[in-house]
Amino acid sequence: MMSRSYTNLLDLAAGNFAALGPAGGGRRRSGSFASRRMPRVMTVPGTLSELDDEEDERAATSSVASDVPSSAICERLIVVANQLPVVARRRPDGPGWVFSMDDDSLLLRLRDGVPDDMEVLFIGTLRADVPAAEQEEVSQTLIDRFRCAPVFLPPDLYDRFYQNFCKGYLWPLFHYMLPYAAAQAPKQSPSSGGRFDRASWEAYVLANKHFFEKVVEVINPEDDYVWVHDYHLMALPTFLRRRFNRLRIGFFLHSPFPSSEIYRSLPVREEILRTMLNCDLIGFHTFDYARHFLSCCSRMLGIEYQSKRGYIGLDYFGRTVGIKIMPVGIHMGQLQSVLRLPEMQSKVAELRQQFEGKAVLLGVDDMDIFKGINLKLLAFEHMLRIHPKWQGRAVLVQIANPARGKGKDIELIRAEIQDSCDRINREFGQSGYNPIVFIDQNVPSVEKLAYYTVAECVVVTAVRDGMNLTPYEYIVCRQGLPSSDSAPEVSGPRKSMLVVSEFIGCSPSLSGAIRVNPWNTEATAESLNEAISMSEREKQLRHEKHYRYVSTHDVAYWSRSFIQDLERACKDHFRKPCWGIGLGFGFRVVALDPNFAKLSFDSILMSYGRSKSRAIFLDYDGTLVPQASINQKPSEELVSIINTLCSDRNNIVFIVSGRSKASLASLFSSCPMLGVAAEHGYFLRWTRDEEWKTSAQSLDVGWMQMAEPVMNLYTEATDGSYIETKETALVWHHRDADQGFASSQAKEMLDHLESVLANEAVAVKSGQFIVEVKPQGVSKGLVAEKILASMKEKGQQADFVLCIGDDRSDEEMFENIADAMKRGVVAPKTPLFACTVGQKPSKAKFYLDDTYEVVSMLSALAEVSEPDQTADLADDLATSVSSLDIGDEQIQFGSIRIEGS
């Protein structure tokens, strides 16, 4: 049984969490509530030791009484987000609560894309402070009436989790605000993008653990899908994956994902990347955000993505993590229902009368530092100044929704906006006319949609934003509902115009919009003038194009597409064996071939002892010595083990490496009986004193004159790379270069060399931090087969084969060894041990964890080997009789004969 300190991710993430204590008293209470009342049958396989109170958790996750038999339970989608799509209010006339669904919640609307036979359950916090004594009753009410399971976080924990870490650190960083400004200050406001605070990170992890425990209470891991939303819960996938190895997990990030240069400043950068990779599908609004994430995985984790048949995937320890690029949409029905309200028509008429004869530009933004509201005001001011025809005719209505965060920065930006409004109204205002209408308060849905309906142009100048659905809502309102008598009147052709920042998520999908760089206020001003001066026909055509997209790519389309891809990403979950490895946020699930297993020392020792003719093939770098080791020389212990194995007359031992023959000869100069296959087997010798032989009749390296100039170009352009010149091959190494750039250069070089050398008898291959050009028909697999065939010709047909390697070039050897028995180069029923180093997808059937285990296994084989004592005995006898005068006589000792004179 694992200890609490071992399994608690909090301890492992930050070192010391003793002060935080258990996850909270409310958990045990809600856990017992779940086990008593949740109408589900829950069966949880595997160890239950991850949580603190194991016995309570066993009760909460064991079989629970239900009116529904387990066989009748269909698939269910568990949507986990920071906040539930529920509005909670105290009863005005007494104790208790009044709950209603939040019609504006995106999470609520994603249900429209879920299959009819799939139940949806929401997990999140309530936007209300519920006393501990009322939490169980509130939980039961929300489950029964709304299918919502609330997570109750202590107020101080929620403040540290949400305000300090999510809004105060992650949110600014993900919107490209580096914390350098606050690094010199002793204290920062929650929204200023302050320095990283370890205590806030611990609170973030602890809050995610609360969400995890709520999921555990209600989940059926074999049937349910879990869809986690946004940056508040990026630690949750690791908690879930650690508990349920095969759980189907999706994650969607609703904010931008920063470039690797920004993201790398995050002290817990690798932890967050790895926990996201514990999902099966990761969703982003745009390809830019996905590209930044993939770049971070490449630069910081060394994981490259592959694109196949339109799908992007990352191979993460045998699991394919899918990448989904799909901007979210709006809920058409919800908007149209507001447009049908009786008060809508009167409000639209009121606004049309108020702005009669005016061109209305509209901005609807949250009050925060990234929405660029003041930049919009400056651009409008510039437009009035350089195009005076709009003075008295153009009005910018700016609605500022209440800020979601809090802090000094919000107050500063509000004051700056108000100053700009006052200045512009003083300079350009007239009797009965103010060019800026600033509404700094929460605006009801009816009023907001009425503004959309009368506006000629919507302007979004955010300097960085995840998606921003304001343009979509505006387009639907401008389309109106002409078929409904109660809808606002829409006269003539529908038309609309959009001026949007190129830095928001919806920009790529709005091809008819005028895209601007909001920092360039002069260019934005010209774009505003262009938008309201455009011909009516052009406005109509652009509107039609946008409406076709918005109406077909709504929130239901988005959720349906994500769920379909999640199902596709999880289709192999129960086909491959998998197990979890690693500590803390380094935890991951390894999924491998069903026949792939760790090499058992007992098994190989038994086969080794029974055999009489053994072939042992060993790679060197990454197999006998660590790949990243600076000192690449074999240790004295390793040399001794190899010599012991070689001294057994039943063994043929070979080092099979891509290194040059000079390098290998130098490394193993003290191993006289060791066979060496250098440069992937092009050069071969059976013992130290033999001459090198080649695997080809002639060596034509004329192609090097064409390949080397190409490789030199990339070496000069890629700092830290170099070319290794061998007798038969050229190798470009880029381990010490910037991995993002070097990886791109390696792909480009591969294509370039293949084009240049298309008519040459060479192979161009990429490996671990290398690109290699070598003769065709030379591989580790072929040389291994050649050695086995030679053994058979000498009457020493192998009845035991061991082959160990760690990279792509060794895979050919594994594949060849696997078919050796079919080709008859080894004895029937020969035990074949093809073994890779590290738990990763491979053609080998066995693995050892690292080079240490490889050396330990070889040491165990050496201990049971039978060294050939003949040579040593002959030397001893010769020394003993050297003083004897035996004349011309001969002395025979078994197979050893000593002649006189």
Side-chain angles (χ1 to χ4, degrees):
M1 183 67 67
M2 298 180 185
S3 67
R4 286 171 54 186
S5 62
Y6 181 85
T7 57
N8 192 335
L9 288 179
L10 301 174
D11 296 340
L12 296 169
N16 178 19
F17 282 76
L20 293 175
R27 180 179 56 77
R28 182 175 302 192
R29 178 171 53 256
S30 59
S32 60
F33 149 75
S35 62
R36 286 200 316 270
R37 305 189 186 183
M38 280 301 296
R40 296 282 293 179
V41 173
M42 294 179 286
T43 56
V44 181
T47 177
L48 305 180
S49 59
E50 278 80 355
L51 301 182
D52 297 328
D53 301 322
E54 296 182 19
E55 295 304 321
D56 291 346
E57 296 304 332
R58 292 182 193 277
T61 55
S62 61
S63 182
V64 179
S66 173
D67 297 331
V68 183
S70 61
S71 60
I73 296 176
C74 61
E75 291 178 336
R76 181 175 61 169
L77 178 66
I78 299 178
V79 178
V80 191
N82 177 43
Q83 292 183 338
L84 289 172
V86 173
V87 177
R89 299 184 182 88
R90 277 287 187 185
R91 290 186 181 275
D93 54 350
W97 294 84
V98 176
F99 301 103
S100 61
M101 299 305 292
D102 183 1
D103 291 335
D104 294 329
S105 172
L106 176 70
L107 297 180
L108 178 63
R109 300 305 176 183
L110 67 77
R111 293 187 305 185
D112 292 354
V114 177
D116 294 337
D117 59 348
M118 180 179 280
E119 178 190 353
V120 179
L121 176 69
F122 297 99
I123 293 178
T125 61
L126 272 176
R127 285 168 285 184
D129 187 10
V130 180
E134 302 178 28
Q135 289 177 4
E136 184 171 338
E137 181 181 356
V138 167
S139 295
Q140 189 63 52
T141 300
L142 291 174
I143 281 289
D144 292 343
R145 293 179 52 195
F146 301 101
R147 304 307 298 159
C148 293
V151 178
F152 298 109
L153 298 178
D156 62 326
L157 174 61
Y158 186 81
D159 190 63
R160 287 181 290 143
F161 152 68
Y162 183 74
Q163 294 295 346
N164 290 4
F165 195 75
C166 291
K167 298 299 288 185
Y169 189 81
L170 278 183
W171 186 75
L173 185 74
F174 277 33
H175 287 74
Y176 287 69
M177 176 180 280
L178 282 169
Y180 65 87
Q184 307 300 324
K187 185 177 181 180
Q188 70 273 358
S189 64
S191 61
S192 65
R195 71 171 74 92
F196 178 82
D197 177 53
R198 179 65 59 175
S200 297
W201 162 247
E202 294 170 0
Y204 178 84
V205 177
L206 182 57
N208 275 251
K209 187 168 185 282
H210 276 272
F211 281 85
F212 157 72
E213 290 166 352
K214 180 59 67 173
V215 174
V216 169
E217 291 178 11
V218 301
I219 198 167
N220 183 350
E222 295 182 0
D223 295 312
D224 294 342
Y225 290 84
V226 178
W227 188 356
V228 183
H229 287 265
D230 223 0
Y231 63 95
H232 314 90
L233 301 175
M234 289 191 295
L236 180 58
T238 289
F239 282 103
L240 293 171
R241 185 65 69 196
R242 186 181 186 90
R243 183 64 171 273
F244 310 112
N245 286 355
R246 300 181 188 275
L247 186 62
R248 296 169 285 194
I249 307 172
F251 179 88
F252 198 94
L253 183 67
H254 293 271
S255 76
F257 195 93
S259 69
S260 60
E261 293 305 312
I262 300 293
Y263 181 80
R264 69 195 307 175
S265 68
L266 179 62
V268 290
R269 59 192 187 185
E270 291 189 9
E271 288 89 333
I272 289 179
L273 287 179
R274 292 189 186 280
T275 189
M276 290 179 71
L277 290 172
N278 274 324
C279 298
D280 298 294
L281 183 66
I282 305 171
F284 300 92
H285 284 307
T286 71
F287 176 70
D288 277 348
Y289 304 159
R291 179 169 53 84
H292 293 158
F293 173 77
L294 295 171
S295 175
C296 289
C297 289
S298 174
R299 287 171 173 260
M300 298 167 203
L301 302 180
I303 302 173
E304 300 292 340
Y305 75 92
Q306 292 183 339
S307 181
K308 185 177 181 181
R309 295 182 179 178
Y311 295 98
I312 301 174
L314 291 160
D315 191 333
Y316 189 58
F317 293 94
R319 294 174 48 249
T320 298
V321 180
I323 302 298
K324 176 72 173 177
I325 301 167
M326 175 62 68
V328 71
I330 59 174
H331 190 272
M332 299 285 293
Q334 193 266 340
L335 282 177
Q336 291 170 350
S337 66
V338 177
L339 291 175
R340 290 190 177 95
L341 294 176
E343 57 267 34
M344 183 71 191
Q345 191 166 6
S346 60
K347 187 63 182 177
V348 169
E350 176 188 333
L351 292 177
R352 283 177 175 162
Q353 182 178 2
Q354 178 183 348
F355 297 110
E356 185 177 3
K358 306 291 192 300
V360 179
L361 295 91
L362 176 66
V364 180
D365 305 278
D366 292 342
M367 177 62 74
D368 73 48
I369 57 178
F370 296 110
K371 293 301 187 284
I373 297 176
N374 201 52
L375 293 174
K376 184 188 310 179
L377 298 176
L378 296 176
F380 184 72
E381 178 185 23
H382 191 69
M383 185 196 76
L384 294 178
R385 185 170 289 118
I386 62 176
H387 296 285
K389 65 179 180 180
W390 293 116
Q391 296 178 17
R393 295 176 53 202
V395 176
L396 173 62
V397 179
Q398 177 61 54
I399 299 174
N401 300 321
R404 300 183 185 182
K406 59 183 179 181
K408 186 178 180 181
D409 288 351
I410 300 298
E411 299 306 319
L412 290 175
I413 195 67
R414 178 179 282 112
E416 184 181 9
I417 292 170
Q418 190 62 59
D419 288 345
S420 296
C421 291
D422 294 342
R423 183 187 68 254
I424 296 170
N425 284 338
R426 282 196 305 269
E427 181 177 353
F428 299 103
Q430 304 170 10
S431 177
Y433 164 75
N434 280 325
I436 302 291
V437 177
F438 181 47
I439 305 174
D440 185 16
Q441 63 186 30
N442 189 35
V443 175
S445 296
V446 170
E447 185 177 350
K448 183 172 69 172
L449 267 60
Y451 274 109
Y452 283 145
T453 303
V454 302
E456 289 191 27
C457 177
V458 155
V459 186
V460 182
T461 54
V463 296
R464 189 69 60 179
D465 208 352
M467 185 59 192
N468 199 314
L469 296 175
T470 295
Y472 289 8
E473 295 174 349
Y474 165 66
I475 290 165
V476 173
C477 292
R478 291 291 287 180
Q479 180 70 16
L481 297 169
S483 61
S484 172
D485 294 336
S486 61
E489 180 182 354
V490 179
S491 57
R494 279 65 169 173
K495 58 184 185 293
S496 62
M497 273 307 301
L498 291 168
V499 176
V500 299
S501 165
E502 63 190 54
F503 302 120
I504 64 175
C506 67
S507 176
S509 62
L510 298 171
S511 56
I514 300 175
R515 299 190 182 97
V516 297
N517 175 2
W519 297 104
N520 188 341
T521 54
E522 291 83 2
T524 303
E526 291 296 340
S527 296
L528 296 179
N529 175 64
E530 179 187 355
I532 55 180
S533 302
M534 194 171 289
S535 69
E536 298 298 303
R537 178 59 179 164
E538 182 68 18
K539 292 179 182 178
Q540 178 186 348
L541 292 174
R542 294 186 184 221
H543 171 80
E544 291 173 355
K545 184 176 185 179
H546 288 157
Y547 184 74
R548 281 195 301 271
Y549 177 84
V550 172
S551 60
T552 55
H553 292 73
D554 59 358
V555 66
Y557 177 88
W558 168 73
S559 62
R560 185 184 309 113
S561 178
F562 188 90
I563 292 169
Q564 288 173 350
D565 278 12
L566 180 58
E567 291 175 340
R568 182 185 295 108
C570 299
K571 65 181 180 180
D572 292 331
H573 262 35
F574 298 95
R575 298 180 185 177
K576 294 183 178 180
C578 61
W579 59 91
I581 60 173
L583 302 177
F585 286 102
F587 177 85
R588 65 272 188 195
V589 167
V590 179
L592 300 167
D593 187 271
N595 298 319
F596 192 73
K598 187 165 185 176
L599 184 59
S600 166
F601 281 24
D602 291 340
S603 175
I604 193 171
L605 286 172
M606 183 179 299
S607 299
Y608 184 87
R610 292 174 178 173
S611 56
K612 298 301 180 184
S613 181
R614 312 180 190 109
I616 300 175
F617 303 102
L618 305 173
D619 178 40
Y620 185 65
D621 296 284
T623 301
L624 298 180
V625 295
Q627 188 74 251
S629 175
I630 297 177
N631 181 12
Q632 293 288 315
K633 292 184 178 180
S635 64
E636 292 183 4
E637 177 193 11
L638 178 58
V639 170
S640 175
I641 291 171
I642 290 176
N643 280 331
T644 302
L645 290 172
C646 291
S647 65
D648 190 327
R649 69 173 68 188
N650 296 325
N651 291 346
I652 297 294
V653 183
F654 265 86
I655 296 293
V656 185
S657 171
R659 282 178 174 257
S660 68
K661 62 182 184 181
S663 173
L664 293 173
S666 173
L667 291 172
F668 294 100
S669 60
S670 55
C671 300
M673 301 304 295
L674 176 66
V676 177
E679 299 192 20
H680 301 289
Y682 189 90
F683 295 104
L684 181 73
R685 73 179 187 190
W686 287 72
T687 64
R688 181 185 63 188
D689 299 328
E690 283 192 11
E691 293 294 328
W692 290 98
K693 297 179 181 178
T694 62
S695 60
Q697 295 297 325
S698 61
L699 179 60
D700 180 9
V701 293
W703 55 266
M704 286 189 177
Q705 297 177 3
M706 293 185 287
E708 193 167 13
V710 174
M711 299 176 83
N712 279 328
L713 289 175
Y714 291 89
T715 304
E716 292 171 4
T718 311
D719 188 37
S721 65
Y722 66 93
I723 300 173
E724 178 188 4
T725 303
K726 303 177 184 178
E727 291 188 44
T728 65
L730 291 174
V731 186
W732 186 67
H733 295 264
H734 58 87
R735 175 182 293 277
D736 298 327
D738 177 274
Q739 285 310 303
F741 179 57
S743 177
S744 174
Q745 290 286 79
K747 292 176 183 177
E748 181 68 23
M749 179 193 287
L750 193 71
D751 292 339
H752 196 163
L753 288 171
E754 286 178 344
S755 175
V756 169
L757 303 173
N759 297 322
E760 301 295 324
V762 294
V764 184
K765 294 190 176 182
S766 62
Q768 198 169 22
F769 304 112
I770 66 166
V771 174
E772 183 172 22
V773 187
K774 61 181 182 179
Q776 289 180 350
V778 176
S779 72
K780 292 183 178 182
L782 292 176
V783 75
E785 182 178 4
K786 183 176 181 180
I787 293 169
L788 291 173
S790 181
M791 290 175 63
K792 180 180 179 182
E793 291 173 2
K794 295 177 182 179
Q796 298 175 324
Q797 188 175 31
D799 59 1
F800 172 95
V801 179
L802 171 63
C803 172
I804 310 178
D806 76 304
D807 63 15
R808 293 183 187 176
S809 63
D810 299 306
E811 293 297 316
E812 297 173 347
M813 189 160 52
F814 299 149
E815 187 175 22
N816 196 289
I817 293 297
D819 296 333
M821 204 176 304
K822 295 179 182 178
R823 295 192 301 272
V825 293
V826 297
K829 299 183 179 179
T830 295
L832 304 173
F833 295 94
C835 178
T836 189
V837 180
Q839 300 180 41
K840 57 180 181 286
S842 173
K843 294 176 182 177
K845 291 193 174 182
F846 301 96
Y847 74 90
L848 291 171
D849 287 329
D850 48 34
T851 58
Y852 175 79
E853 282 199 348
V854 173
V855 175
S856 297
M857 186 272 296
L858 294 176
S859 178
L861 296 182
E863 289 178 4
V864 297
S865 296
E866 300 176 357
D868 187 355
Q869 303 294 337
T870 303
D872 294 338
L873 180 59
D875 291 339
D876 293 341
L877 287 174
T879 301
S880 300
V881 301
S882 61
S883 59
L884 296 178
D885 183 9
I886 59 175
D888 296 331
E889 299 294 327
Q890 295 180 347
I891 301 176
Q892 188 79 26
F893 294 91
S895 62
I896 302 174
R897 183 175 62 187
I898 300 176
E899 296 183 355
S901 301

